[in-house]
PDB file of all heavy atoms in Angstrom:
ATOM      1  N   LYS A 160      15.457  13.478   5.338  1.00  0.00           N
ATOM      2  CA  LYS A 160      14.899  14.502   4.459  1.00  0.00           C
ATOM      3  C   LYS A 160      13.827  15.288   5.195  1.00  0.00           C
ATOM      4  O   LYS A 160      13.026  14.740   5.941  1.00  0.00           O
ATOM      5  CB  LYS A 160      14.338  13.907   3.165  1.00  0.00           C
ATOM      6  CG  LYS A 160      13.073  13.072   3.314  1.00  0.00           C
ATOM      7  CD  LYS A 160      13.314  11.660   3.789  1.00  0.00           C
ATOM      8  CE  LYS A 160      12.040  10.829   3.847  1.00  0.00           C
ATOM      9  NZ  LYS A 160      12.288   9.487   4.382  1.00  0.00           N
ATOM     10  N   GLY A 161      13.854  16.612   4.987  1.00  0.00           N
ATOM     11  CA  GLY A 161      12.863  17.468   5.607  1.00  0.00           C
ATOM     12  C   GLY A 161      11.783  17.914   4.645  1.00  0.00           C
ATOM     13  O   GLY A 161      10.643  18.155   5.027  1.00  0.00           O
ATOM     14  N   SER A 162      12.144  18.032   3.351  1.00  0.00           N
ATOM     15  CA  SER A 162      11.169  18.389   2.329  1.00  0.00           C
ATOM     16  C   SER A 162      11.646  17.857   0.988  1.00  0.00           C
ATOM     17  O   SER A 162      12.849  17.701   0.769  1.00  0.00           O
ATOM     18  CB  SER A 162      10.953  19.906   2.259  1.00  0.00           C
ATOM     19  OG  SER A 162      12.138  20.575   1.863  1.00  0.00           O
ATOM     20  N   ILE A 163      10.697  17.577   0.113  1.00  0.00           N
ATOM     21  CA  ILE A 163      11.001  17.068  -1.215  1.00  0.00           C
ATOM     22  C   ILE A 163      10.155  17.853  -2.205  1.00  0.00           C
ATOM     23  O   ILE A 163       8.931  17.924  -2.070  1.00  0.00           O
ATOM     24  CB  ILE A 163      10.694  15.561  -1.344  1.00  0.00           C
ATOM     25  CG1 ILE A 163      11.412  14.763  -0.251  1.00  0.00           C
ATOM     26  CG2 ILE A 163      11.120  15.054  -2.713  1.00  0.00           C
ATOM     27  CD1 ILE A 163      10.604  14.561   1.007  1.00  0.00           C
ATOM     28  N   GLN A 164      10.802  18.476  -3.184  1.00  0.00           N
ATOM     29  CA  GLN A 164      10.100  19.329  -4.143  1.00  0.00           C
ATOM     30  C   GLN A 164       9.992  18.658  -5.494  1.00  0.00           C
ATOM     31  O   GLN A 164      10.925  18.003  -5.963  1.00  0.00           O
ATOM     32  CB  GLN A 164      10.828  20.667  -4.312  1.00  0.00           C
ATOM     33  CG  GLN A 164      10.104  21.621  -5.270  1.00  0.00           C
ATOM     34  CD  GLN A 164      10.933  22.814  -5.667  1.00  0.00           C
ATOM     35  OE1 GLN A 164      11.519  23.474  -4.821  1.00  0.00           O
ATOM     36  NE2 GLN A 164      10.993  23.114  -6.965  1.00  0.00           N
ATOM     37  N   SER A 165       8.850  18.847  -6.135  1.00  0.00           N
ATOM     38  CA  SER A 165       8.705  18.465  -7.543  1.00  0.00           C
ATOM     39  C   SER A 165       9.496  19.424  -8.419  1.00  0.00           C
ATOM     40  O   SER A 165       9.756  20.571  -8.027  1.00  0.00           O
ATOM     41  CB  SER A 165       7.229  18.507  -7.963  1.00  0.00           C
ATOM     42  OG  SER A 165       6.462  17.564  -7.252  1.00  0.00           O
ATOM     43  N   LEU A 166       9.852  18.980  -9.598  1.00  0.00           N
ATOM     44  CA  LEU A 166      10.489  19.856 -10.589  1.00  0.00           C
ATOM     45  C   LEU A 166       9.382  20.674 -11.240  1.00  0.00           C
ATOM     46  O   LEU A 166       8.482  20.120 -11.882  1.00  0.00           O
ATOM     47  CB  LEU A 166      11.248  19.030 -11.613  1.00  0.00           C
ATOM     48  CG  LEU A 166      12.240  19.786 -12.512  1.00  0.00           C
ATOM     49  CD1 LEU A 166      13.310  18.824 -13.043  1.00  0.00           C
ATOM     50  CD2 LEU A 166      11.543  20.464 -13.679  1.00  0.00           C
ATOM     51  N   LEU A 167       9.445  21.980 -11.069  1.00  0.00           N
ATOM     52  CA  LEU A 167       8.406  22.871 -11.573  1.00  0.00           C
ATOM     53  C   LEU A 167       8.785  23.430 -12.935  1.00  0.00           C
ATOM     54  O   LEU A 167       9.883  23.973 -13.104  1.00  0.00           O
ATOM     55  CB  LEU A 167       8.175  24.022 -10.592  1.00  0.00           C
ATOM     56  CG  LEU A 167       7.501  23.630  -9.274  1.00  0.00           C
ATOM     57  CD1 LEU A 167       7.734  24.691  -8.212  1.00  0.00           C
ATOM     58  CD2 LEU A 167       6.012  23.436  -9.481  1.00  0.00           C
ATOM     59  N   LEU A 168       7.866  23.300 -13.892  1.00  0.00           N
ATOM     60  CA  LEU A 168       8.057  23.832 -15.232  1.00  0.00           C
ATOM     61  C   LEU A 168       6.983  24.863 -15.534  1.00  0.00           C
ATOM     62  O   LEU A 168       5.912  24.866 -14.931  1.00  0.00           O
ATOM     63  CB  LEU A 168       7.976  22.715 -16.272  1.00  0.00           C
ATOM     64  CG  LEU A 168       9.008  21.586 -16.187  1.00  0.00           C
ATOM     65  CD1 LEU A 168       8.712  20.535 -17.252  1.00  0.00           C
ATOM     66  CD2 LEU A 168      10.422  22.122 -16.352  1.00  0.00           C
ATOM     67  N   LYS A 169       7.285  25.746 -16.493  1.00  0.00           N
ATOM     68  CA  LYS A 169       6.250  26.629 -17.022  1.00  0.00           C
ATOM     69  C   LYS A 169       5.215  25.771 -17.761  1.00  0.00           C
ATOM     70  O   LYS A 169       5.504  24.640 -18.173  1.00  0.00           O
ATOM     71  CB  LYS A 169       6.864  27.656 -17.969  1.00  0.00           C
ATOM     72  CG  LYS A 169       7.925  28.548 -17.335  1.00  0.00           C
ATOM     73  CD  LYS A 169       7.347  29.442 -16.261  1.00  0.00           C
ATOM     74  CE  LYS A 169       8.417  30.412 -15.738  1.00  0.00           C
ATOM     75  NZ  LYS A 169       7.903  31.245 -14.633  1.00  0.00           N
ATOM     76  N   PRO A 170       4.008  26.277 -17.968  1.00  0.00           N
ATOM     77  CA  PRO A 170       2.953  25.459 -18.572  1.00  0.00           C
ATOM     78  C   PRO A 170       3.295  24.851 -19.924  1.00  0.00           C
ATOM     79  O   PRO A 170       2.778  23.772 -20.262  1.00  0.00           O
ATOM     80  CB  PRO A 170       1.781  26.442 -18.692  1.00  0.00           C
ATOM     81  CG  PRO A 170       1.999  27.403 -17.572  1.00  0.00           C
ATOM     82  CD  PRO A 170       3.486  27.583 -17.493  1.00  0.00           C
ATOM     83  N   ASP A 171       4.178  25.488 -20.720  1.00  0.00           N
ATOM     84  CA  ASP A 171       4.517  24.912 -22.018  1.00  0.00           C
ATOM     85  C   ASP A 171       5.516  23.769 -21.913  1.00  0.00           C
ATOM     86  O   ASP A 171       5.785  23.072 -22.896  1.00  0.00           O
ATOM     87  CB  ASP A 171       5.055  25.992 -22.973  1.00  0.00           C
ATOM     88  CG  ASP A 171       6.356  26.634 -22.486  1.00  0.00           C
ATOM     89  OD1 ASP A 171       6.907  26.189 -21.452  1.00  0.00           O
ATOM     90  OD2 ASP A 171       6.811  27.585 -23.140  1.00  0.00           O
ATOM     91  N   GLY A 172       6.081  23.567 -20.723  1.00  0.00           N
ATOM     92  CA  GLY A 172       7.019  22.481 -20.504  1.00  0.00           C
ATOM     93  C   GLY A 172       8.405  22.721 -21.059  1.00  0.00           C
ATOM     94  O   GLY A 172       9.280  21.859 -20.943  1.00  0.00           O
ATOM     95  N   LYS A 173       8.651  23.891 -21.606  1.00  0.00           N
ATOM     96  CA  LYS A 173       9.951  24.180 -22.230  1.00  0.00           C
ATOM     97  C   LYS A 173      10.891  24.947 -21.305  1.00  0.00           C
ATOM     98  O   LYS A 173      12.109  24.889 -21.467  1.00  0.00           O
ATOM     99  CB  LYS A 173       9.742  24.977 -23.514  1.00  0.00           C
ATOM    100  CG  LYS A 173       8.976  24.211 -24.584  1.00  0.00           C
ATOM    101  CD  LYS A 173       8.767  25.068 -25.829  1.00  0.00           C
ATOM    102  CE  LYS A 173       7.970  24.311 -26.890  1.00  0.00           C
ATOM    103  NZ  LYS A 173       7.744  25.144 -28.100  1.00  0.00           N
ATOM    104  N   LEU A 174      10.321  25.682 -20.360  1.00  0.00           N
ATOM    105  CA  LEU A 174      11.124  26.506 -19.462  1.00  0.00           C
ATOM    106  C   LEU A 174      10.959  26.046 -18.016  1.00  0.00           C
ATOM    107  O   LEU A 174       9.887  25.578 -17.617  1.00  0.00           O
ATOM    108  CB  LEU A 174      10.724  27.976 -19.572  1.00  0.00           C
ATOM    109  CG  LEU A 174      10.936  28.659 -20.927  1.00  0.00           C
ATOM    110  CD1 LEU A 174      10.410  30.090 -20.873  1.00  0.00           C
ATOM    111  CD2 LEU A 174      12.403  28.636 -21.333  1.00  0.00           C
TER     112      LEU A 174
END
Side-chain angles (χ1 to χ4, degrees):
K160 70 280 183 183
S162 64
I163 306 91
Q164 182 192 312
S165 296
L166 194 156
L167 290 161
L168 299 177
K169 301 295 185 183
D171 63 5
K173 296 179 181 179
L174 297 177

